[in-house]
Amino acid sequence: MVTSKFSFWNIYFVYALILGGFAVGCYLMIHGEQQFKGKLGIKTSGMVLGLLVCGLTIFFIYLLLKHTRRIRIEQEGISVSSLLKTAYISKTDISTVILTGRVNLGLFSNHRPTSAIIIELKTGEKLVFADAWYRNSAMLKQTLQHYLTSARVSAPIQTSVKDHPMPTDLGSMEKFAGNHFFNINGLMIYSTSIFWAWMAFAMFRNPAPSNGHPVMAGMVLLFVWALLVFAMGTQLHYFLLSANYLVVKNHVFLWKQKVFPLKNIREVVIETPYKRSITLTIITNDFSQKKYAAGSLRSKTWKLLAEKLRAEKISVTDET
């Protein structure tokens, strides 16, 4: 028996936020005699605001309960359950299983396609299980793949693609990159780095009065700068491609690199995440996924990379 495990951040943390909103709504209802003045100058009672907040949270909880379900792969079938209901699906009732599907879940995927397991039944019903909801989605997919080709499943099926050493012929590999200095991510990193360096120099050259804390202020500036560099730098990957390997490197974090033998790649997806740079999602044969945002690449570079990958017999889904 194999059971899915919900992702902490994408499920439990969201539930916690929604319940927090419900608590705020209840507080407003309890203190309903208070008046709140909005931006338009219209006064609204706490009771009305509380009812509105509680109504919205109940609606979001309903949506989560409707879309988030546990999967349990048993010896003779698949059990799908939520807090609202439980359904048992026999193997003979399944028409098609798409292990690397792409679906738009509306609000839950920021109205963009996301990776998912799609189970189509002979009745025409379609069950969708987004990868982001489960922390063991790769194991579920491997087990489902085995389940469809075997009489029964009694234990989880889980293998992993091993890391590969860096190829020695990097110089001869085709490079897919752009000028990251003139990309918004690169501009933010280097312009703020110059600004923060100037601020630090000015701060220590002209220290605050005796009751000030220039060192603490400098530490705060350094922390904010490090967060910015991390947020922008993780969107500045680029790629090297040969007949045997796909290598991922980073313009800013020079030590960050990853090698994917082409024979281990099942599929790649070029997608546009919400408020992030265009991203290359690499799905390996063990169904694990790695996402690499590459803001320096232009549209023509992405198209050329997709063409080259297809020429190497790699399945490419371009959603840009």
Side-chain angles (χ1 to χ4, degrees):
M1 183 183 298
V2 184
T3 305
S4 61
K5 298 178 180 178
F6 283 137
S7 166
F8 173 79
W9 289 108
N10 292 329
I11 297 296
Y12 296 122
F13 185 68
V14 173
Y15 268 118
L17 287 178
I18 292 176
L19 291 175
F22 187 78
V24 171
C26 291
Y27 174 84
L28 292 173
M29 291 174 62
I30 293 172
H31 296 78
E33 72 280 358
Q34 296 184 9
Q35 298 290 320
F36 298 89
K37 192 173 183 180
K39 293 183 178 180
L40 298 178
I42 301 174
K43 289 186 176 181
T44 306
S45 70
M47 178 64 72
V48 174
L49 284 176
L51 287 172
L52 179 62
V53 172
C54 288
L56 286 174
T57 55
I58 291 172
F59 174 69
F60 282 119
I61 289 174
Y62 167 76
L63 288 179
L64 271 178
L65 293 176
K66 179 180 178 182
H67 287 91
T68 57
R69 293 164 290 193
R70 290 189 181 276
I71 312 171
R72 189 169 61 218
I73 306 173
E74 303 176 356
Q75 292 186 355
E76 304 296 338
I78 300 174
S79 176
V80 179
S81 61
S82 68
L83 292 179
L84 300 178
K85 65 177 182 178
T86 299
Y88 183 81
I89 304 170
S90 173
K91 187 175 181 178
T92 57
D93 296 331
I94 298 175
S95 173
T96 308
V97 175
I98 304 173
L99 298 174
T100 56
R102 303 285 296 177
V103 293
N104 188 330
L105 298 176
L107 181 65
F108 290 100
S109 61
N110 291 310
H111 300 281
R112 287 166 170 79
T114 186
S115 302
I117 300 171
I118 302 174
I119 300 178
E120 298 178 352
L121 306 181
K122 293 179 179 179
T123 59
E125 184 181 359
K126 183 184 294 186
L127 304 176
V128 176
F129 307 93
D131 290 358
W133 295 339
Y134 309 100
R135 62 180 184 266
N136 62 340
S137 61
M139 185 197 73
L140 287 173
K141 292 181 178 183
Q142 292 180 47
T143 307
L144 275 172
Q145 186 180 48
H146 178 77
Y147 171 79
L148 296 173
T149 58
S150 178
R152 58 179 59 191
V153 173
S154 57
I157 307 297
Q158 187 167 23
T159 59
S160 59
V161 174
K162 296 181 179 179
D163 290 338
H164 197 280
M166 186 62 62
T168 57
D169 58 341
L170 289 181
S172 62
M173 299 179 73
E174 189 171 0
K175 185 176 181 179
F176 297 87
N179 190 336
H180 74 287
F181 291 103
F182 296 100
N183 171 264
I184 183 62
N185 299 303
L187 285 172
M188 287 289 290
I189 289 174
Y190 296 117
S191 62
T192 53
S193 296
I194 295 172
F195 173 74
W196 258 281
W198 175 80
M199 286 285 291
F201 176 76
M203 187 180 299
F204 285 97
R205 185 177 180 181
N206 302 298
S210 58
N211 60 345
H213 300 280
V215 175
M216 181 62 68
M219 293 297 291
V220 172
L221 283 177
L222 181 62
F223 177 73
V224 174
W225 172 79
L227 284 179
L228 178 67
V229 171
F230 176 79
M232 298 298 169
T234 52
Q235 300 184 62
L236 286 173
H237 294 94
Y238 66 94
F239 311 100
L240 303 174
L241 182 65
S242 69
N244 298 310
Y245 301 102
L246 173 63
V247 178
V248 182
K249 304 193 78 172
N250 191 284
H251 288 293
V252 177
F253 308 125
L254 302 180
W255 63 89
K256 186 177 180 180
Q257 51 192 14
K258 181 73 174 178
V259 181
F260 293 92
L262 296 185
K263 64 180 181 180
N264 291 342
I265 298 177
R266 180 186 183 92
E267 181 182 349
V268 299
V269 180
I270 303 174
E271 58 181 302
T272 309
Y274 182 65
K275 291 187 177 181
R276 283 182 65 85
S277 301
I278 296 178
T279 298
L280 184 72
T281 300
I282 301 174
I283 305 172
T284 52
N285 291 330
D286 61 354
F287 295 104
S288 62
Q289 298 185 22
K290 298 291 184 181
K291 295 179 179 289
Y292 299 98
S296 71
L297 275 67
R298 296 182 178 273
S299 297
K300 61 180 181 181
T301 310
W302 280 113
K303 291 180 180 179
L304 181 60
L305 175 59
E307 291 174 1
K308 295 290 185 178
L309 287 170
R310 290 190 181 104
E312 298 297 338
K313 309 301 181 184
I314 300 295
S315 175
V316 179
T317 302
D318 190 350
E319 297 176 349
T320 58

